[in-house]
Protein backbone atom coordinates (compact mmCIF):
# COMPACT_ATOMS: atom_id res chain seq x y z
CA UNK A 1 0.00 0.00 0.00
CA UNK A 2 1.16 3.53 -0.60
CA UNK A 3 2.25 5.58 2.38
CA UNK A 4 -0.67 7.35 4.02
CA UNK A 5 -0.79 11.00 2.99
CA UNK A 6 -2.17 12.15 6.34
CA UNK A 7 0.78 10.68 8.22
CA UNK A 8 3.32 12.12 5.82
CA UNK A 9 1.63 15.53 5.72
CA UNK A 10 1.39 15.70 9.50
CA UNK A 11 5.03 14.81 9.97
CA UNK A 12 6.11 17.25 7.26
CA UNK A 13 4.41 19.94 9.34
CA UNK A 14 6.02 18.75 12.58
CA UNK A 15 9.39 18.75 10.83
CA UNK A 16 8.96 22.25 9.37
CA UNK A 17 7.72 23.73 12.65
CA UNK A 18 10.44 22.21 14.82
CA UNK A 19 13.57 21.80 12.71
CA UNK A 20 14.92 25.10 14.07
CA UNK A 21 14.88 23.44 17.51
CA UNK A 22 17.09 20.61 16.25
CA UNK A 23 14.23 18.12 16.04
CA UNK A 24 14.65 15.68 13.15
CA UNK A 25 11.66 13.75 11.84
CA UNK A 26 11.89 10.56 9.78
CA UNK A 27 8.73 9.10 8.28
CA UNK A 28 9.14 5.40 7.53
CA UNK A 29 6.75 3.79 5.07
CA UNK A 30 7.36 0.07 5.45
CA UNK A 31 6.25 -2.54 3.00
CA UNK A 32 5.73 -6.08 4.21
CA UNK A 33 8.08 -7.02 7.04
CA UNK A 34 8.10 -10.46 8.66
CA UNK A 35 6.42 -9.57 11.95
CA UNK A 36 3.41 -10.71 13.93
CA UNK A 37 1.37 -7.64 12.98
CA UNK A 38 -1.30 -9.67 11.13
CA UNK A 39 -1.47 -12.40 13.77
CA UNK A 40 -1.92 -9.79 16.50
CA UNK A 41 -4.47 -7.69 14.59
CA UNK A 42 -7.93 -7.57 16.09
CA UNK A 43 -11.13 -8.73 14.45
CA UNK A 44 -14.30 -6.62 14.65
CA UNK A 45 -15.33 -8.49 17.81
CA UNK A 46 -12.02 -7.68 19.52
CA UNK A 47 -10.57 -11.18 19.23
CA UNK A 48 -7.06 -11.69 17.93
CA UNK A 49 -6.91 -12.59 14.24
CA UNK A 50 -4.33 -15.28 14.93
CA UNK A 51 -3.10 -15.76 11.36
CA UNK A 52 -0.63 -14.03 9.11
CA UNK A 53 -0.77 -12.87 5.50
CA UNK A 54 1.29 -14.34 2.68
CA UNK A 55 2.74 -10.89 1.94
CA UNK A 56 3.99 -10.55 5.52
CA UNK A 57 5.38 -14.07 5.63
CA UNK A 58 7.33 -13.37 2.43
CA UNK A 59 8.30 -9.84 3.43
CA UNK A 60 11.58 -8.29 4.41
CA UNK A 61 13.40 -9.55 7.46
CA UNK A 62 13.03 -7.34 10.54
CA UNK A 63 16.83 -7.04 10.77
CA UNK A 64 17.04 -5.73 7.19
CA UNK A 65 14.24 -3.22 7.78
CA UNK A 66 15.78 -2.05 11.06
CA UNK A 67 19.19 -1.58 9.45
CA UNK A 68 17.64 0.55 6.70
CA UNK A 69 15.83 2.68 9.29
CA UNK A 70 18.93 3.18 11.45
CA UNK A 71 20.96 4.17 8.38
CA UNK A 72 18.28 6.70 7.45
CA UNK A 73 18.24 8.13 10.99
CA UNK A 74 22.04 8.52 10.93
CA UNK A 75 21.85 10.20 7.51
CA UNK A 76 19.13 12.63 8.54
CA UNK A 77 16.74 11.28 5.92
CA UNK A 78 13.25 12.76 6.03
CA UNK A 79 11.24 9.98 4.39
CA UNK A 80 12.12 6.34 3.83
CA UNK A 81 10.30 3.60 1.97
CA UNK A 82 11.45 0.21 3.20
CA UNK A 83 10.12 -2.13 0.54
CA UNK A 84 11.04 -4.25 -2.43
CA UNK A 85 9.32 -5.38 -5.61
CA UNK A 86 5.72 -4.31 -6.17
CA UNK A 87 5.55 -2.47 -2.86
CA UNK A 88 8.54 -0.32 -3.79
CA UNK A 89 6.99 0.27 -7.20
CA UNK A 90 3.83 1.59 -5.54
CA UNK A 91 5.82 4.19 -3.61
CA UNK A 92 7.69 5.22 -6.74
CA UNK A 93 4.52 5.45 -8.81
CA UNK A 94 2.92 7.59 -6.10
CA UNK A 95 5.53 10.23 -6.82
CA UNK A 96 5.86 9.87 -10.58
CA UNK A 97 2.27 9.22 -11.69
CA UNK A 98 -0.31 9.30 -8.88
CA UNK A 99 -3.22 8.94 -11.33
CA UNK A 100 -1.79 5.68 -12.65
CA UNK A 101 -1.34 4.44 -9.09
CA UNK A 102 -4.94 5.29 -8.22
CA UNK A 103 -6.19 3.49 -11.33
CA UNK A 104 -4.12 0.37 -10.50
CA UNK A 105 -5.22 0.30 -6.86
CA UNK A 106 -8.86 0.82 -7.84
CA UNK A 107 -8.67 -2.02 -10.37
CA UNK A 108 -7.10 -4.32 -7.78
CA UNK A 109 -9.89 -3.62 -5.29
CA UNK A 110 -12.56 -4.13 -7.96
CA UNK A 111 -10.93 -7.44 -8.93
CA UNK A 112 -11.25 -8.70 -5.34
CA UNK A 113 -7.70 -8.12 -4.11
CA UNK A 114 -8.63 -8.36 -0.41
CA UNK A 115 -10.46 -11.67 -0.91
CA UNK A 116 -7.54 -13.04 -2.92
CA UNK A 117 -5.07 -12.14 -0.17
CA UNK A 118 -7.29 -13.78 2.43
CA UNK A 119 -7.56 -16.94 0.32
CA UNK A 120 -3.76 -17.07 -0.11
CA UNK A 121 -3.31 -16.71 3.66
CA UNK A 122 -5.73 -19.55 4.34
CA UNK A 123 -3.97 -21.88 1.90
Amino acid sequence: MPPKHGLIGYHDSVRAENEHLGLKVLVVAPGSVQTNVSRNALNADGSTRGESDAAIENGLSPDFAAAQILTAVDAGTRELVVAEGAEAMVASLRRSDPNALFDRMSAMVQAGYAAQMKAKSAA
Side-chain angles (χ1 to χ4, degrees), residues 84-103:
E84 293 180 337
E87 292 175 333
M89 182 275 307
V90 166
S92 176
L93 195 55
R94 174 181 150 255
R95 284 184 166 64
S96 65
D97 192 349
N99 286 327
L101 174 61
F102 175 79
D103 292 343

Side-chain angles (χ1 to χ4, degrees), residues 10-97:
Y10 172 76
H11 287 92
D12 285 348
S13 295
V14 170
R15 183 184 305 111
E17 294 170 0
N18 294 285
E19 194 166 44
H20 71 283
L21 301 172
L23 179 67
K24 304 292 183 189
V25 177
L26 166 64
V27 175
V28 178
S32 297
V33 178
Q34 297 171 1
T35 66
N36 288 326
V37 68
S38 289
R39 278 186 197 86
N40 294 331
L42 300 179
N43 294 311
D45 65 3
S47 64
T48 303
R49 182 169 180 233
E51 60 186 74
S52 190
D53 294 322
I56 301 255
E57 293 301 311
N58 296 309
L60 302 172
S61 78
D63 289 340
F64 177 80
Q68 295 246 329
I69 294 166
L70 291 174
T71 297
V73 168
D74 287 343
T77 302
R78 293 178 173 163
E79 186 175 324
L80 173 67
V81 175
V82 180
E84 293 180 337
E87 292 175 333
M89 182 275 307
V90 166
S92 176
L93 195 55
R94 174 181 150 255
R95 284 184 166 64
S96 65
D97 192 349

